[in-house]
């Protein structure tokens, strides 16, 4: 995979997201209910959401260099435009079975306050808009770890979206 | 009590930067003064004290102003030959300099320690005033006359003018001229004389004053304090031809009398000088600290501006973070340039026939040259002379020597040697430690030295030298040297080695024991050194930045510690190797050789594969294992469908192949750290390369065994190995077998 096409692919996805955000943001102000937008991505059969504001970039999974003496969930480090960025695979942490990563796999670069990391997604689908009041607290049945790293769940037409708490993921899983 | 003057943060910073330099100059100057009194030197440090005083006054720092004033007074008397630079005085003046430094820290908003500044100042003042005048016992060749008392006292403005003249190295004269009694228009004659003298110098004070002459309130005599750079003959010529001057006298005088006038009241009361307004003058002087503050300000601002102007165009101060950012950007540029080259290559390979391909390649060549040049120049900007760090050392050595009651002649060499500034920061502490050791343990007492037939004064030399792409820093003393026998005994006593091992050690190997943790040759713990943290920390610090530390010593004649340092930390020469598709960079400084080892040459001792290289056993370890990759591949089948390899299920092919007895040549990189040597088995060598070190990122932080990462030309990341920490981690880690074999290796070889 050349640098060039990788960049283009990223730019395309990001650009689409931005446009959609802008459109939704415009309509958002006219509604009384507070809405939030999440980037929906898939791990195994489940869907997770990250707050769109926290997502900086979506990148193809390319040339991750593994780093010794790091926990299992640290896949390694990769070069994102000259920045060395950690790539973490939260599947193990969330108790999700490992599936072989395919060409659909992406790195979602997300972060808070300038501290960013790449999170492995088996597939990145779309940005979904959710009415805030529809977000329910994390299910107790999710188990300890999953409860810790999610801030809520939203039932959608055909799936359940688990909203991830990026703050606690980055803070807790930092080496 | 401090005044709160309106000072911007920028002005404050300028003052602090300036003060730091002046304080350094004072420190150096005072130390040099102890060795020989040189007028130029005195002038220089006097000016330093004066500049600080002026600056402090500008900022309304009363304590700092007073302390600097006391120092200035002492220096002035030294300059006038009224005091000797004896150790006690130098001590006091150094302490005053420390005090100034502390006050600067306070000004910068830092906490400062309990420093009794007022008593210190008083001590210095008392010392200075209690000393008999040296000039009385040792008259200077030019006889200086005492100043006519009716010219005194000077106003603070005049004192400053006098000071300026003194600083400029002008000669002070007193001129007495008397007109003929029948002179026509005496006031006009006096005025003529007054103006005739102006082209040759400056009239600091005149009696009567110019105003009085102009208003014809003058008699027939004129007395002047005159400063001039012209020769006495020239001035005499002017006086000689002055109209109607019947009698004149030109005398040099000692300007010291102009400054030390704390007792204004007595001076004024004993002098009858109707022409001076007694009340205003004494008022001016009694509030002199305040006035001085105001007036010295002008003086100093002008000096500072002049200094700033002269420095401009040569150097500017740049924030280091800024340099680092530029450095990173250049790294990016290089990476992108390589990407472009790849694209051009692809275009060419695709059979593209356009002229544009050729043009692209041409431009790329040009771009390559520019980026290389840019990178090289950027690296140079990070280099600074080691001088700034070296300059702190004479003071340290002197204080230690005084504390230990030893006499030391400290020599600095090669201060201009340039090093990456981050390296300079790193070696400051190790160097201080080595110097402390040299003064404390290295040098004998003066008595012991004489008994041993050596010069009474011990010599310590700190030198820096640029050679073979590295910088050598040496700390040398001509002291007692280090006795291998004592070191051996000590190591045995401390249980650092077994007696069998000790018996086998060569003297050189014994000396190396001082670098072991917990070793300290001092039999008693002193305040200066020997607190248990010793040479091992020094060596570790030096090794961490890619340097080495060696010791040479001859018993009874002295010791020499030789530090070999890389020129820069940002870029290193490294050997690139590949393991499991991942690239690693091993700093060349740690590599002793590369070999290809046949599996039939490998023996297993206590479960550890070893190979014999020139009679010595080299334990082998796969790089992956040394790095601590767990044998279970993470996320097992993670990327079986991807077209690149991130992980390989087949862990450690070396072991597998080695155990299978299949004859194969294994690429091995022999690396060394301290006394340990290990052969790291890799999959292949990729060659040597200059490598820009980047941190692993906030998330990963520091990993034992890794110095950082580098971005390769194709954008991939290679890990940079840190051999010292890798081997240390291996030795401490759970690889018990290897550890066992390594320690046995040490015992065998040492």
């Amino acid at each position: 995979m050349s640098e060039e096409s990788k960049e283009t692919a990223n730019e395309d996805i990001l650009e689409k997201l931005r446009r959609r955000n802008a459109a939704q943001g415009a309509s958002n102000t006219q509604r009384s209910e507070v809405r939030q937008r999440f980037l929906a991505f898939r791990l195994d059969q489940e869907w997770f959401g990250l707050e769109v504001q926290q997502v900086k970039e979506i990148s193809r999974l390319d040339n991750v260099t593994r780093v010794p003496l790091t926990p299992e969930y640290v896949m390694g480090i990769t070069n994102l435009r000259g920045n060395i960025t950690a790539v973490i695979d939260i599947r193990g942490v969330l108790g999700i079975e490992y599936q072989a990563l395919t060409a659909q796999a992406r790195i979602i670069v997300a972060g808070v306050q300038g501290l960013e990391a790449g999170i492995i997604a088996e597939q990145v689908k779309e940005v979904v808009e959710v009415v805030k009041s529809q977000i329910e607290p994390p299910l107790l049945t999710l188990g300890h770890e999953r409860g810790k790293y999610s801030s809520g769940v939203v039932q959608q037409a055909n799936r359940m979206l688990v909203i991830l708490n990026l703050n606690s993921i980055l803070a807790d899983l930092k080496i | 009590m401090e005044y709160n003057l309106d000072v911007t943060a920028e002005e404050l910073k300028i003052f602090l930067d300036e003060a730091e330099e002046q304080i350094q100059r004072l420190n150096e100057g005072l130390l040099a003064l102890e060795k020989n009194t040189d007028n130029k030197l005195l002038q220089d440090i006097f000016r330093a004290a004066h500049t600080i005083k002026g600056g402090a006054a500008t900022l309304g720092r009363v304590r700092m102003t007073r302390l600097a004033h006391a120092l200035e007074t002492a220096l002035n008397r030294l300059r006038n030959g009224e005091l000797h630079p004896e150790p006690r005085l130098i001590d006091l003046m150094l302490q005053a300099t420390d005090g100034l430094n502390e006050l600067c820290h306070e000004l910068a908003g830092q906490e400062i320690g309990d420093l009794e500044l007022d008593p210190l100042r008083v001590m210095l003042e008392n010392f200075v005033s209690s000393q008999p005048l040296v000039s009385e016992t040792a008259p200077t060749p030019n006889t200086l006359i005492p100043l006519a008392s009716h010219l005194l006292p000077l106003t603070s403005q005049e004192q400053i003018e006098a000071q300026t003249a003194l600083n400029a190295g002008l000669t002070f004269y007193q001129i007495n001229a008397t007109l003929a009694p029948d002179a026509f228009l005496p006031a006009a004659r006096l005025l003529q004389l007054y103006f005739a003298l102006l082209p040759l110098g400056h009239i600091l004070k005149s009696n009567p004053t110019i105003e009085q002459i102009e208003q014809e309130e003058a008699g027939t005599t004129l007395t002047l304090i005159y400063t001039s750079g012209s020769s006495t003959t020239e001035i005499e010529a002017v006086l000689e031809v002055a109209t109607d001057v019947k009698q004149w006298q030109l005398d040099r005088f000692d300007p010291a009398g102009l400054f030390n006038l704390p007792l204004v009241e007595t001076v004024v009361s004993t002098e009858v000088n109707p022409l001076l307004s007694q009340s205003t003058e004494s008022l001016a002087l009694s509030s002199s600290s305040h006035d001085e503050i105001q007036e010295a300000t002008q003086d100093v601002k002008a000096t500072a501006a002049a200094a700033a102007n002269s420095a401009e165009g040569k150097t500017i101060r740049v924030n280091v973070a800024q340099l680092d950012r530029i450095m990173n950007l250049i790294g990016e540029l290089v990476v992108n340039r390589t990407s472009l080259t790849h694209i051009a290559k692809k275009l060419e390979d695709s059979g593209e026939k356009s002229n544009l391909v050729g043009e692209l390649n041409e431009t790329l060549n040009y771009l390559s040259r520019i980026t290389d040049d840019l990178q090289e120049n950027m690296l140079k900007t990070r280099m600074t002379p080691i001088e700034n760090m070296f300059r702190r050392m004479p003071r340290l050595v002197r204080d230690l020597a005084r504390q230990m009651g030893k006499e030391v002649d400290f020599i600095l060499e090669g201060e201009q040697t340039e090093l990456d500034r981050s390296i300079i920061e790193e070696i400051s502490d190790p160097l201080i430690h080595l110097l402390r050791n040299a003064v404390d343990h290295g040098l004998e007492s003066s008595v012991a030295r004489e008994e041993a037939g050596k010069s009474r004064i011990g010599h310590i030399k700190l030198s820096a030298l640029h050679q073979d792409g590295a910088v050598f820093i040496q700390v040398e003393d001509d002291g007692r040297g280090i006795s291998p026998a004592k070191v051996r005994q000590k190591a045995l006593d401390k249980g650092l080695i077994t007696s069998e091992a000790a018996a086998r050690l060569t003297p050189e190997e014994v000396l190396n024991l001082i670098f072991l943790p917990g070793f300290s040759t001092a039999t008693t713990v002193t305040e200066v050194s020997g607190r248990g943290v010793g040479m091992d920390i020094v060596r570790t610090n030096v090794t961490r930045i890619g340097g080495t530390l060696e010791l040479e010593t001859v018993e009874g004649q002295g010791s020499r510690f030789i530090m070999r340092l890389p020129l820069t930390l940002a870029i290193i020469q490294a050997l690139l190797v590949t393991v499991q598709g991942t690239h690693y960079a091993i700093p060349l400084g740690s590599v002793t050789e590369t070999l290809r080892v046949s599996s039939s040459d490998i023996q297993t001792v206590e479960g550890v594969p070893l190979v014999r290289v020139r009679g010595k056993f080299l334990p082998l370890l796969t790089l992956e294992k040394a790095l601590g990759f767990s044998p279970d591949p993470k996320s097992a089948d993670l990327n079986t469908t991807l077209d690149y390899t991130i992980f390989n299920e087949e862990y450690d092919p070396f072991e597998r192949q080695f155990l299978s007895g299949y004859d194969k040549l294994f690429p091995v990189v022999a690396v060394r750290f301290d006394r340990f040597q290990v052969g790291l088995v890799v999959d292949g060598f990729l060659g040597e390369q200059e490598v820009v070190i980047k941190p692993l990122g906030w998330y990963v932080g520091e990993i034992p065994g890794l110095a950082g990462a580098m971005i390769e030309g194709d954008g991939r990341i290679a890990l940079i190995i840190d051999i010292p920490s890798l081997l240390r981690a291996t030795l401490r880690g759970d690889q018990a077998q290897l550890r066992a074999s390594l320690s046995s290796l040490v015992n065998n070889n040492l």
Side-chain angles (χ1 to χ4, degrees):
Chain A
M1 170 63 53
S2 74
E3 285 289 313
E4 192 185 23
S5 58
K6 176 181 146 194
E7 294 293 307
T8 319
N10 290 339
E11 293 302 322
D12 283 348
I13 298 175
L14 268 187
E15 190 47 41
K16 274 182 206 154
L17 290 180
R18 281 201 196 100
R19 263 189 234 131
R20 208 177 299 177
N21 286 348
Q24 288 175 352
S27 57
N28 199 14
T29 53
Q30 290 159 11
R31 300 183 198 170
S32 54
E33 279 199 283
V34 183
R35 284 163 177 267
Q36 259 186 309
R37 287 182 305 280
F38 297 95
L39 177 68
F41 65 95
R42 184 177 60 78
L43 295 174
D44 195 16
Q45 302 302 314
E46 297 183 60
W47 289 88
F48 296 86
L50 278 171
E51 267 184 58
V52 163
Q53 292 88 335
Q54 296 176 330
V55 177
K56 299 293 179 301
E57 173 173 356
I58 297 162
S59 164
R60 279 177 191 273
L61 182 55
D62 191 12
N63 289 327
V64 177
T65 302
R66 62 190 181 126
V67 180
L69 304 177
T70 50
E72 194 190 1
Y73 56 79
V74 177
M75 198 171 176
I77 52 179
T78 193
N79 169 19
L80 286 175
R81 293 178 226 296
N83 292 320
I84 291 181
T85 309
V87 180
I88 58 179
D89 183 350
I90 53 173
R91 290 182 294 182
V93 176
L94 298 177
I96 294 166
E97 267 187 47
Y98 286 114
Q99 300 295 324
L101 295 176
T102 67
Q104 287 185 317
R106 294 288 184 276
I107 298 170
I108 302 172
V109 182
V112 276
Q113 287 158 10
L115 299 180
E116 292 164 15
I119 293 169
I120 289 285
E122 287 177 8
Q123 184 190 0
V124 175
K125 183 85 170 184
E126 61 197 331
V127 169
V128 294
E129 194 178 57
V130 169
V131 178
K132 211 170 181 180
S133 60
Q134 286 177 0
I135 303 176
E136 293 165 34
L139 298 180
L140 291 173
T141 51
L142 284 179
H144 177 67
E145 290 301 309
R146 223 183 256 206
K148 194 158 103 187
Y149 297 123
S150 64
S151 54
V153 288
V154 182
Q155 187 60 54
Q156 291 189 301
N158 52 351
R159 68 186 177 205
M160 190 156 82
L161 189 69
V162 177
I163 294 161
L164 291 176
N165 183 346
L166 186 66
N167 278 322
S168 61
I169 288 176
L170 292 186
D172 279 25
L173 300 186
K174 166 154 174 37
I175 303 163
Chain B
M1 174 193 65
E2 306 285 349
Y3 298 102
N4 280 318
L5 297 189
D6 201 11
V7 180
T8 66
E10 188 57 26
E11 283 166 352
L12 182 63
K13 194 180 170 315
I14 291 172
F15 168 74
L16 288 173
D17 284 351
E18 168 98 358
E20 194 185 330
E21 279 170 30
Q22 303 299 346
I23 286 170
Q24 186 59 44
R25 188 167 298 165
L26 273 170
N27 260 323
E28 287 167 22
L30 289 171
L31 294 178
L33 202 58
E34 219 174 9
K35 289 183 184 161
N36 64 352
T37 318
D38 159 12
N39 275 335
K40 190 178 167 308
L41 177 73
L42 264 169
Q43 196 63 40
D44 206 38
I45 50 183
F46 178 89
R47 203 171 297 142
H50 184 70
T51 305
I52 295 175
K53 182 174 99 174
T58 318
L59 299 176
R61 310 302 290 189
V62 173
R63 280 195 300 162
M64 202 188 287
T65 313
R66 286 190 179 150
L67 189 58
H69 181 72
L71 191 57
E72 193 190 70
T73 308
L75 286 167
N76 186 43
R77 297 200 60 183
L78 273 167
R79 189 173 56 179
N80 296 332
E82 295 167 15
L83 290 175
H84 273 312
E86 53 189 288
R88 173 69 190 137
L89 177 60
I90 301 282
D91 274 346
L92 280 170
M93 290 199 291
L94 283 171
Q95 281 166 23
T97 307
D98 287 343
L100 291 173
N101 197 24
E102 289 292 308
L103 288 170
C104 282
H105 289 164
E106 185 185 62
L107 193 53
Q110 294 166 11
E111 292 279 319
I112 64 163
D114 280 338
L115 201 67
E116 294 289 323
L117 291 180
D118 285 340
L120 171 67
R121 194 190 78 235
V122 172
M123 267 159 69
L124 183 58
E125 284 167 354
N126 286 346
F127 187 90
V128 168
S129 56
S130 68
Q131 292 300 300
L133 293 182
V134 176
S135 57
E136 285 172 0
T137 52
T140 47
N142 293 315
T143 321
L144 303 173
I145 60 134
L147 189 62
S149 49
H150 63 274
L151 285 169
L152 297 174
L154 297 184
T155 65
S156 46
Q157 177 58 43
E158 286 160 355
Q159 286 202 27
I160 288 164
E161 284 177 18
Q163 191 62 69
T164 315
L166 194 57
N167 290 350
L170 300 178
T171 313
F172 284 69
Y173 296 99
Q174 178 177 316
I175 298 175
N176 276 301
T178 309
L179 298 179
D182 57 345
F184 177 68
L185 289 173
R189 295 292 174 237
L190 289 182
L191 214 54
Q192 256 181 345
L193 176 59
Y194 192 100
F195 287 117
L197 284 166
L198 282 182
L200 288 181
H202 176 67
I203 294 171
L204 196 70
K205 184 145 193 158
S206 81
N207 179 22
T209 65
I210 182 88
E211 292 83 8
Q212 288 166 335
I213 302 172
E214 280 173 343
Q215 287 160 27
E216 301 192 29
E217 289 171 11
T220 54
T221 60
L222 180 66
T223 313
L224 302 170
I225 298 179
Y226 186 64
T227 59
S228 174
S230 309
S231 72
T232 315
T233 337
E234 285 175 276
I235 304 168
E236 283 171 351
V238 170
L239 291 166
E240 196 58 56
V241 300
T243 321
D244 283 344
V245 173
K246 188 187 84 180
Q247 195 189 333
W248 57 266
Q249 203 180 341
L250 176 71
D251 298 298
R252 291 181 56 193
F253 76 93
D254 175 8
L258 295 176
F259 302 106
N260 293 315
L261 298 166
L263 304 172
V264 180
E265 288 78 9
T266 56
V267 171
V268 174
S269 63
T270 53
E271 288 304 316
V272 183
N273 188 346
L275 299 175
L276 283 177
S277 165
Q278 186 177 323
S279 56
T280 52
E281 287 298 310
S282 61
L283 190 67
L285 273 168
S286 64
S287 62
S288 70
S289 70
H290 204 114
D291 260 9
E292 230 169 282
I293 286 168
Q294 304 289 331
E295 286 158 352
T297 304
Q298 309 302 322
D299 176 27
V300 165
K301 275 191 173 164
T303 319
N309 279 339
S310 67
E312 215 169 33
K314 287 180 187 164
T315 57
I316 52 163
R317 282 176 199 269
V318 182
N319 190 332
V320 176
Q322 186 102 23
L323 282 187
D324 288 345
R325 272 198 295 280
I326 298 175
M327 187 75 196
N328 270 334
L329 287 172
I330 292 174
E332 287 321 302
L333 193 60
V334 172
V335 168
N336 280 296
R337 175 194 75 194
T338 318
S339 299
L340 264 182
T341 316
H342 279 292
I343 295 168
K345 180 98 182 17
K346 272 189 218 163
L347 259 183
E348 230 177 306
D349 293 349
S350 72
E352 175 66 52
K353 293 279 183 266
S354 162
N355 289 340
L356 289 175
V357 177
E359 282 179 37
L360 179 63
N361 278 326
E362 222 168 89
T363 315
L364 270 172
N365 273 336
Y366 188 52
L367 181 67
S368 297
R369 281 206 303 278
I370 295 174
T371 42
D372 287 347
D373 206 21
L374 186 62
Q375 196 167 25
E376 198 185 317
N377 276 291
M378 187 58 217
L379 275 179
K380 281 187 191 152
T381 63
R382 294 175 56 93
M383 308 288 276
T384 54
I386 201 163
E387 193 180 13
N388 291 340
M389 192 250 288
F390 267 23
R391 272 158 45 164
R392 301 206 303 266
M393 303 306 170
R395 174 73 195 274
L396 177 101
V397 170
R398 178 203 180 266
D399 285 358
L400 280 174
R402 289 270 293 163
Q403 207 176 323
M404 308 292 305
K406 291 179 182 176
E407 290 173 63
V408 179
D409 184 16
F410 184 60
I411 304 153
L412 276 181
E413 260 177 29
E415 298 101 307
Q416 293 304 321
T417 308
E418 290 197 330
L419 257 178
D420 190 302
R421 55 178 308 289
S422 45
I423 294 185
I424 294 180
E425 278 163 23
E426 293 286 335
I427 58 163
S428 170
D429 284 348
L431 260 191
I432 287 173
H433 199 94
L434 290 178
L435 285 171
R436 280 189 170 152
N437 267 330
V439 178
D440 194 10
H441 306 314
L443 293 183
E444 316 89 330
S445 67
S446 305
V447 179
R449 287 184 66 90
E450 280 183 336
E451 280 169 4
K454 294 183 180 180
S455 65
R456 192 179 159 78
I457 298 174
H459 296 83
I460 294 178
K461 186 161 100 177
L462 174 62
S463 60
L465 171 74
H466 186 177
Q467 196 179 21
D468 304 333
V471 168
F472 292 85
I473 296 179
Q474 302 190 359
V475 175
E476 245 177 298
D477 68 62
D478 65 347
R480 59 172 72 96
I482 297 170
S483 150
K486 279 189 191 161
V487 170
R488 189 194 307 260
Q489 191 53 47
K490 184 96 173 186
L492 281 174
D493 293 349
K494 298 226 163 188
L496 296 172
I497 48 166
T498 62
S499 50
E500 303 90 67
R504 278 200 300 270
L505 298 178
T506 67
E508 289 78 41
E509 287 164 346
V510 170
L511 286 177
N512 261 319
L513 293 172
I514 70 162
F515 295 114
L516 285 180
F519 192 94
S520 163
T521 47
T523 37
T524 53
V525 171
T526 68
E527 199 194 322
V528 180
S529 49
R531 284 192 204 88
V533 290
M535 300 305 298
D536 68 311
I537 303 287
V538 174
R539 182 178 262 189
T540 306
N541 284 348
V542 172
T543 316
R544 197 177 57 214
I545 54 171
T548 58
L549 181 64
E550 306 287 340
L551 164 66
E552 288 173 4
T553 184
V554 179
E555 214 178 331
Q557 288 180 29
S559 310
R560 177 192 295 158
F561 285 92
I562 305 157
M563 218 185 259
R564 184 187 198 275
L565 299 165
L567 285 176
T568 173
L569 289 184
I571 292 192
I572 55 161
Q573 280 285 336
L575 172 70
L576 258 74
V577 299
T578 169
V579 179
Q580 305 287 302
T582 301
H583 296 176
Y584 295 92
I586 304 175
L588 274 188
S590 301
V591 175
T592 50
E593 62 183 314
T594 56
L595 356 143
R596 289 185 190 270
V597 173
S598 164
S599 46
S600 56
D601 290 337
I602 299 173
Q603 311 166 24
T604 307
V605 178
E606 292 167 36
V608 175
L610 298 169
V611 65
R612 236 185 141 81
V613 181
R614 287 185 292 279
K616 286 201 175 187
F617 280 113
L618 183 70
L620 297 178
L621 180 65
T622 64
L623 180 57
E624 291 248 300
K625 201 171 189 174
L627 282 170
F629 277 117
S630 67
D632 306 313
K634 298 178 192 175
S635 316
D637 55 350
L638 204 60
N639 43 280
T640 43
T641 58
L642 295 175
D643 59 346
Y644 48 87
T645 308
I646 299 174
F647 305 128
N648 196 315
E649 290 158 294
E650 192 184 62
Y651 187 76
D652 216 346
F654 164 70
E655 274 188 355
R656 193 164 298 181
Q657 289 172 8
F658 167 61
L659 291 173
S660 73
Y662 170 69
D663 196 23
K664 183 186 181 231
L665 283 177
F666 296 105
V668 170
V669 184
V671 294
R672 108 175 209 171
F673 162 63
D674 264 9
R675 297 149 294 148
F676 306 119
Q677 206 178 20
V678 175
L680 296 172
V681 182
V682 298
D683 291 353
F685 305 128
L686 297 172
E688 293 176 19
Q689 197 181 320
E690 280 203 334
V691 164
V692 180
I693 303 183
K694 291 194 161 214
L696 293 168
W698 70 275
Y699 189 89
V700 175
E702 288 187 12
I703 303 280
L706 294 184
M710 63 173 280
I711 298 178
E712 292 185 84
D714 60 0
R716 298 191 352 170
I717 292 179
L719 298 177
I720 302 169
I721 312 282
D722 178 31
I723 294 296
S725 79
L726 179 79
L727 294 190
R728 218 174 301 127
T730 308
L731 291 171
R732 283 188 198 140
D734 50 14
Q735 307 207 28
Q737 287 178 333
L738 182 83
R739 194 168 63 239
S741 81
L742 274 181
S743 45
S744 69
L745 181 84
V746 170
N747 286 339
N748 283 336
N749 285 346
L750 275 184

